[in-house]
Amino acid sequence: MTTGQCAAPCESRLLHVLLIYRHMIPSVLLCGHCQMEYLHSQGQVEYRAAQEMSLRHSDLDWADVVLLARCDCSYERRVSKALLLAGKQLVYVIDDDLLSVPQHLSSAWYYHLPRVRKDITAMLEMSHAIVSPSPLLLEKYADGKVAIPVEEPALFPLPYQPHDPAQPVKIGFAGSIDRTGDVEAMLGGALRRIKAEYGDRVAFEFFGAVPAFAADLGAKATPYCQSYEEYRSALNQAGWDIGLAPMPDSPFHRHKHYNKFIEYAAAGIVGVFS
């Protein structure tokens, strides 16, 4: 199905696309909402985004195509089944391997619940297409379906500013609290050595995930921010020279997108990546 083509018996109108989401988290914003708003602004589709508990029958009737943005509960599965029976085209949006979340992550307890796994699997199976920024996720879950690769956009980009040699080199990490263990396991020794060698010529900051050794570095700690726009605004204002992006080598992490490269680069930060 191409942009501007109707999913149902077609009238002379644009395709109606509805995105269903629980919270406008980065996964929803960057892997569906931004792209659809852009296509809408270009006159390519008609687009609505609706929070799941605010869905109206008129939204469901209006839609030709429905994007299921990381949907994972029985209510969303029932809505999806009703939409499928009504002849709507379903597209599941997935940016993490939700059926293979490692046990050490704080969200693992939820994604390992049998009912949650059953609901996710059912919606994946019902969907006509899979959207993901990860070619590995598309390969894994889009078998026999339309695979739609998507790129996460660089929102709120800044022009690059060279480092002020009179100031310390600012080194930071930005990520969710789920990443705390990765930072502690992979960066603790190296950052302590940098602090011991360079002293006040370096400064450290942790945004979101704050490791236990942060105090040893005299690091600034900034709490995790729920709003992506506020998070990106704070990152842009942080003035970091170097951004760190440690990533364990595991099947789950290999399915992740390089959004940290996009975020750091958009903020004018040089990245060090696994």
Side-chain angles (χ1 to χ4, degrees):
M1 179 167 45
T2 58
T3 299
Q5 181 182 5
C6 296
C10 197
E11 308 162 7
S12 296
R13 62 166 174 79
L14 295 175
L15 192 70
H16 290 180
V17 181
L18 172 68
L19 182 143
I20 298 175
Y21 68 97
R22 186 174 309 152
H23 302 292
M24 190 55 74
I25 60 175
S27 295
V28 177
L29 181 71
L30 300 176
C31 297
H33 181 63
C34 284
Q35 291 84 355
M36 288 298 107
E37 284 210 316
Y38 173 77
L39 292 177
H40 177 73
S41 73
Q42 298 298 303
Q44 297 295 305
V45 299
E46 291 292 336
Y47 173 63
R48 296 180 186 175
Q51 195 167 27
E52 60 176 22
M53 299 311 293
S54 300
L55 275 172
R56 301 169 297 181
H57 285 292
S58 58
D59 293 323
L60 304 180
D61 292 338
W62 171 87
D64 301 314
V65 176
V66 180
L67 303 182
L68 308 171
R70 282 180 64 119
C71 292
D72 58 23
C73 71
S74 57
Y75 169 74
E76 294 161 333
R77 176 175 54 81
R78 291 195 299 271
V79 169
S80 299
K81 185 174 182 180
L83 288 165
L84 184 66
L85 292 174
K88 310 297 184 179
Q89 296 285 311
L90 301 183
V91 180
Y92 196 90
V93 181
I94 184 169
D95 68 329
D96 279 323
D97 194 349
L98 303 179
L99 298 177
S100 302
V101 176
Q103 290 284 359
H104 71 274
L105 297 185
S106 62
S107 58
W109 72 270
Y110 178 77
Y111 287 111
H112 283 263
L113 291 173
R115 61 176 175 80
V116 172
R117 298 177 64 82
K118 181 179 178 180
D119 291 334
I120 293 172
T121 300
M123 285 182 280
L124 284 166
E125 291 176 349
M126 280 189 277
S127 295
H128 301 88
I130 306 296
V131 165
S132 181
S134 166
L136 293 178
L137 286 175
L138 291 175
E139 182 180 343
K140 184 173 183 178
Y141 291 114
D143 184 31
K145 304 177 185 295
V146 178
I148 305 175
V150 65
E151 182 59 84
E152 298 185 22
L155 302 182
F156 321 115
L158 286 180
Y160 176 72
Q161 296 291 330
H163 172 70
D164 180 353
Q167 299 297 320
V169 173
K170 290 188 176 181
I171 303 172
F173 171 82
S176 66
I177 57 174
D178 265 352
R179 302 299 314 285
T180 305
D182 297 338
V183 174
E184 290 177 342
M186 301 179 71
L187 296 180
L191 297 187
R192 285 190 177 96
R193 288 195 298 273
I194 290 171
K195 179 64 176 178
E197 182 172 351
Y198 294 99
D200 293 338
R201 288 182 287 165
V202 293
F204 297 92
E205 182 171 353
F206 295 98
F207 191 175
V210 180
F213 61 79
D216 298 341
L217 305 176
K220 178 181 177 182
T222 301
Y224 181 75
C225 186
Q226 294 290 344
S227 164
Y228 188 73
E229 289 191 8
E230 292 177 11
Y231 157 72
R232 283 305 316 279
S233 176
L235 188 61
N236 282 355
Q237 294 173 30
W240 294 357
D241 299 294
I242 299 172
L244 305 174
M247 190 72 72
D249 184 13
S250 74
F252 176 79
H253 291 93
R254 283 195 291 272
H255 286 74
K256 281 187 166 291
H257 188 54
Y258 46 85
N259 64 310
K260 197 58 61 185
F261 163 73
I262 296 171
E263 290 177 356
Y264 284 162
I269 299 168
V270 175
V272 179
F273 306 95
S274 295

